[in-house]
């Protein structure tokens, strides 16, 4: 495996392109418009500049990494990639359309991976004639920092495909865990989201304040962040959507969201991004234009 194409130059795609180039792969980063791909590349350049400041990288290494990243807007240019990692918007119709096109464009040996956090790998694979070569590769944000990649097998993903993806993950300096069944939330979110939801129940039942709940989990359970601070960072609307997705998929009341969560969202309390959630935040003001 030599050439990797990354589709989507947003938060996740830019990070995936960076770590793949750091791992020595030739990378093609693709998005819909020139300016979006340029922003993605700028994110990579800024990340590498920070690594140089911290003396984790030399300028020569930076130049080598950047020389391995090409960009494009035409999907047809990914035709010679050995591995395609899709990180576009979380929308099944869009992903299926892209996978169907990739299936026609790419060489028969190419692996097609999706970074989806909640959609079915099996359903995405069904848009191709090579479901054995389709898998989930779920990276974590921020990609250059977080060590884990969850590798998810769809119904027809072959053992060879998983093995190739595992080797790629190792080569880019990350650890893989294998998810043998395409199931909502995989491992990390299946545990993390109900944990956060339970903290919201404790808050909603008036058992303790946000500060006390967070302090309890940091000092009593050794968590680096409290569950409600973490909820604010992820976004309360995202937490709500994931809990509801678990609820509708598993039909188990243990995944019901507390009404405090829906009430907060209706009131515009979305967490850090809206300036208020379980805590208040200063929103950075940027000038228009
Ligand atoms: P984002 O919104 O930052 O980036 C998505 C990019 O996809 C945008 O640049 C957009 O222009 C591009 N795009 C949209 N439609 C496209 C198309 N048809 N073809 C090519 N590019 C297209 O989104 P983000 O956060 O990077 O998420 C991408 C994927 O990664 C989603 O599936 C998401 O669920 C998943 N994910 C996100 C995580 C996060 O913390 N943000 C964590 C793990 C997975």
């Amino acid at each position: 495996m030599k050439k990797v194409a990354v589709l989507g130059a947003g938060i996740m795609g830019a990070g995936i392109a960076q770590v793949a180039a750091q791992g020595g792969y030739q990378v093609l980063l693709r998005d819909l418009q020139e300016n979006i791909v340029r922003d993605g590349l700028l994110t990579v350049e800024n990340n590498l500049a920070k690594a140089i400041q911290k003396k984790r990288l030399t300028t020569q290494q930076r130049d080598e990494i950047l020389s391995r990243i090409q960009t494009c807007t035409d999907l047809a240019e990914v035709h010679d990639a050995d591995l395609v990692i899709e990180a576009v918007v979380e929308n099944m119709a869009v992903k299926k359309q892209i996978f169907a096109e990739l299936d026609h464009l790419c060489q028969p040996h190419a692996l097609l991976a999706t970074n989806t956090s909640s959609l079915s790998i099996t359903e995405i694979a069904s848009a191709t004639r090579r479901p054995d070569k389709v898998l989930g590769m779920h990276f974590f944000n921020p990609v250059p920092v977080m060590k884990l990649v969850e590798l998810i097998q769809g119904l027809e993903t072959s053992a060879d495909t998983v093995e190739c993806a595992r080797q790629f993950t190792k080569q880019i300096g990350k650890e893989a865990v294998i998810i043998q069944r395409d199931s909502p939330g995989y491992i990390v979110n299946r545990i993390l989201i109900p944990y956060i939801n339970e903290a919201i129940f404790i808050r909603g039942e008036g058992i303790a304040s946000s500060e006390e709940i967070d302090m309890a989990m940091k000092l009593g359970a050794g968590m680096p962040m409290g569950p409600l601070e973490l909820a604010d960072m992820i976004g309360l609307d995202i937490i709500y959507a994931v809990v509801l997705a678990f609820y509708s998929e598993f039909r188990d009341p243990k995944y019901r969201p507390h009404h405090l969560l829906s009430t907060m969202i209706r009131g515009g309390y979305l967490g850090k991004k809206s300036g208020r959630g379980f805590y208040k935040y200063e929103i950075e003001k940027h000038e228009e234009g």
Side-chain angles (χ1 to χ4, degrees):
M1 205 185 274
K2 289 199 176 83
K3 190 159 180 186
V4 178
V6 179
L7 307 184
I11 301 173
M12 298 304 288
I16 296 167
Q18 177 183 331
V19 294
Q22 283 173 346
Y25 294 96
Q26 289 297 327
V27 178
L28 184 59
L29 179 60
R30 188 259 176 179
D31 208 302
L32 297 172
Q33 290 164 18
E34 201 56 60
N35 62 322
I36 307 179
V37 200
R38 225 178 299 122
D39 283 351
L41 202 54
L42 199 64
T43 307
V44 176
E45 286 168 5
N46 290 339
N47 288 344
L48 296 178
K50 278 185 210 145
I52 291 174
Q53 271 174 10
K54 290 181 185 160
K55 306 231 182 291
R56 291 201 196 120
L57 200 72
T58 65
T59 51
Q60 191 195 338
Q61 284 170 322
R62 173 201 57 197
D63 294 345
E64 282 167 12
I65 293 165
L66 289 175
S67 76
R68 285 196 284 271
I69 306 179
Q70 312 288 313
T71 61
C72 71
T73 52
D74 183 2
L75 188 63
E77 288 192 37
V78 311
H79 66 95
D80 58 348
D82 304 301
L83 167 67
V84 181
I85 304 175
E86 168 277 312
V88 309
V89 284
E90 188 75 338
N91 177 307
M92 180 57 89
V94 174
K95 291 197 196 279
K96 278 173 103 168
Q97 165 80 34
I98 289 179
F99 273 71
E101 285 180 51
L102 288 174
D103 189 36
H104 283 98
L105 285 169
C106 296
Q107 303 170 83
H109 76 268
L111 300 190
L112 309 180
T114 170
N115 184 44
T116 180
S117 3
S118 63
L119 304 174
S120 161
I121 311 299
T122 305
E123 189 174 346
I124 295 171
S126 75
T128 74
R129 294 159 305 174
R130 58 176 99 187
D132 57 315
K133 293 197 162 57
V134 177
L135 83 162
M137 290 188 77
H138 188 229
F139 290 80
F140 292 80
N141 186 20
V143 179
V145 178
M146 302 298 276
K147 279 270 172 226
L148 186 71
V149 182
E150 290 178 318
L151 301 181
I152 306 108
Q153 286 184 274
L155 207 55
E156 295 182 59
T157 311
S158 72
D160 277 357
T161 297
V162 175
E163 189 45 39
C164 285
R166 191 210 285 274
Q167 281 168 19
F168 168 81
T169 307
K170 195 169 168 212
Q171 177 69 27
I172 61 171
K174 308 242 177 253
E175 294 290 336
V177 288
I178 313 291
I179 316 292
Q180 294 165 16
R181 269 190 37 216
D182 183 4
S183 173
Y186 316 132
I187 296 175
V188 174
N189 286 335
R190 172 88 177 263
I191 295 173
L192 189 64
I193 300 294
Y195 156 75
I196 290 173
N197 193 39
E198 198 60 34
I200 298 171
F201 265 77
I202 295 177
R203 181 77 194 89
E205 288 167 15
I207 293 168
S209 69
S210 300
E211 287 84 356
E212 276 160 333
I213 293 167
D214 282 343
M215 203 211 297
M217 293 313 292
K218 284 191 276 193
L219 303 186
M223 297 295 186
M225 268 180 109
L228 299 178
E229 293 173 78
L230 186 56
D232 276 356
M233 200 181 90
I234 295 171
L236 302 193
D237 50 338
I238 307 265
I239 304 282
Y240 186 65
V242 180
V243 182
L244 275 189
F246 286 176
Y247 187 54
S248 79
E249 186 76 18
F250 295 116
R251 309 277 161 163
D252 186 332
K254 77 177 174 183
Y255 297 113
R256 72 202 182 281
H258 193 277
H259 59 82
L260 171 63
L261 187 55
S262 44
T263 308
M264 287 176 78
I265 293 165
R266 287 189 194 113
Y269 289 73
L270 303 183
K272 227 170 181 171
K273 63 186 167 193
S274 73
R276 55 192 187 167
F278 290 99
Y279 299 92
K280 271 192 173 162
Y281 304 88
E282 290 284 325
I283 295 190
E284 270 184 65
K285 287 200 180 70
H286 295 287
E287 295 220 359
E288 292 284 324

